[in-house]
Amino acid sequence: MTNSINYNSSCTAINDFVVRFANTNGTGSASANNMFAKSILRMGIPVSAKNIFPSNIQGMPTWYEVRINENNFLARRGGQSELVVAMNAQSIKEDITSVKSGGFLLYDSSKQLIQEYIRNDIEYLGIPISAICQKEYTDPRQRQLFKNVIYVGALAAFLNIEFEVLKSLVADQFKGKEKLITPNIYALELGYQYANHHFSCPLSIKVERRDLIKNRIMVDGNTATGLGAVYGGATVVGWYPITPSTSVIEKFASYCDRLRIDPASGKKNYALVQAEDELAAIGIAIGAGWNGARAFTATSGPGISLMSEFLGLAYFAEIPMVLVNVQRAGPSTGMPTRTQQSDVLACAYASHGDTKQILLFPESPCECFEFAALAFDLADQLQTPVIIMSDLDLGMNDHLTDEFMWDDKKEYNLGKVLSAKQLDDIERYGRYLDSDNDGICYRTLPGTHPDKGSFFTRGTSRDEYAVYTEKSEDYVKNMKRLEKKFATASNIVPKPEINQTKPLAKTGLIFFGTSSHAINEAQSQLQEQGLTVDTLRVKAFPFHQSIEQFIEKHNNVFIIEQNRDAQMKSLLSNELSIDPNKLLSIANCDGLPLTSHYIVDGILSQLSEQLSSKQAG
């Protein structure tokens, strides 16, 4: 039996389509949409979810895109979706337009659609969700919340999702709140039964159980970063909340409440200080790092701007600390709930004067965990700030990622820290002496020795013994040593991930962070067009020498990034003295996660222009 307005479907797909949810911010739809995504995961099918939400608290349109793809192409696909769940009257016209020709629109048919919105090339799946809720529930809040659960139940019928999987998800979600399990399952059944009774189920797009997840998990990058900081030995946090980094600290605190409580006394073995502003937050982290603690803070672009002077102090005074930057779209407030990679230059050269900061570029939650833990070793080893360059897409969206691994035998690398015995063997301690000719000096921690090893920490120029001076030769010597330390760091930070064909392709792609999510699919699409490419993923700054070698080996090198001004391209050109004309830019700044189509279209277009120019010449 059918309840559709019209039906002219040409979409047929198994485990390869996109479902787009259109909701209103603040209506409780997020947990229901997340349940839908997790149900696909539990059927063994690769899935990714992108939450596209406004920066206001509630009342505005929000979208949640779920991509299902058993070939593990899990970047945002972009374009139109095979199925749109339209639950927001404000955006209904736009949502109908976003349905792929031959696709489906699931909507609340309690009210009729405006006739001019109706398309003849899609199927309308009308379910009177509001009317059902009006009949079943008296509480207005329940009516709103269970609307979301009902359409998830309907989707189970439409897409062939195993109902037992949804029931197990409800049981897990409300564990400890058993009285909520039965009404949620009942709401799922309302939608499931209605769809089965009034439509031919499943649709021509559907899911089938697979075993493709293996040991992967689904988690967001901020959660992974917070946990990685715990495993990395962090004990002090200076914090000022800002979207989209706030949950890094919240997750760190929640894990510490489980893992950092002294069993004997019940006291906390960590300190979390919510400061009055970003300057105070990083100041707390720097002070704790100077004192020997592993300390960090988290922020986004506007916070980076405010923290820059303190970053210069930590660089110049050589104090270890970690800064997590979950990037968003700027400048100024910009689009605070949209993703970008737009702080590359601001962080690489953070502060005034000649400064260069260590940057790490994670691509997945697994790397967020690994790089967060690693960052504290690097900060101690190099005695300098280390900035983790995450972004909103990575930080706030759930991603399918490798399991986190940790070696319990691992020992932290504290770098060159002198003990009391070592100080006894030194005639005169020089805080800024380069004894090993690697630019990294030996430091001491307060209280190590009763009368040796003390020095004055300052942001002003000093000599090798930390004595204030404005002699040009002392200043130049110190700055050259810091430059040498940065060169040493290039062989300590994570090396790039390089994939090259044999023989080498003529074209190379360089990318970093979440831009990597679209690369495998873009490579496949380029291959279909007859173009083979080699790839290099940048994991850290300073750049390893292999990046320069990769560029030299290829005729065309495209730098793929998510900002307007091609900041990574500028950084590569500047640091490696590369001819800017050899580097071609694929730069996207719309605030949405990068798609493979954007990459492919950009590459083919530029290569075509290049060929036309040669032929004309």
Side-chain angles (χ1 to χ4, degrees), residues 577-616:
S577 299
I578 301 292
D579 178 0
N581 294 321
K582 184 167 186 180
L583 301 180
L584 304 171
S585 179
I586 303 291
N588 178 66
C589 67
D590 64 6
L592 298 173
L594 190 63
T595 69
S596 62
H597 297 291
Y598 188 91
I599 296 170
V600 171
D601 290 347
I603 290 172
L604 294 179
S605 175
Q606 291 190 53
L607 290 179
S608 177
E609 288 176 12
Q610 199 177 78
L611 181 61
S612 297
S613 179
K614 286 181 180 179
Q615 290 173 343

Side-chain angles (χ1 to χ4, degrees), residues 396-428:
M396 295 191 72
N397 286 324
D398 286 338
H399 296 265
L400 198 55
T401 189
D402 292 336
E403 273 188 309
F404 305 162
M405 304 299 292
W406 185 260
D407 183 358
D408 288 331
K409 296 178 182 178
K410 174 182 169 58
E411 294 184 2
Y412 298 140
N413 187 343
L414 301 180
K416 299 179 180 181
V417 180
L418 294 175
S419 65
K421 183 177 183 307
Q422 288 172 314
L423 284 168
D424 278 330
D425 296 334
I426 296 173
E427 185 175 343
R428 184 187 179 192

Side-chain angles (χ1 to χ4, degrees), residues 504-524:
L504 291 177
K506 293 181 180 179
T507 300
L509 311 183
I510 293 180
F511 55 95
F512 61 99
T514 53
S515 294
S516 68
H517 298 171
I519 291 296
N520 286 343
E521 188 172 8
Q523 279 186 278
S524 176

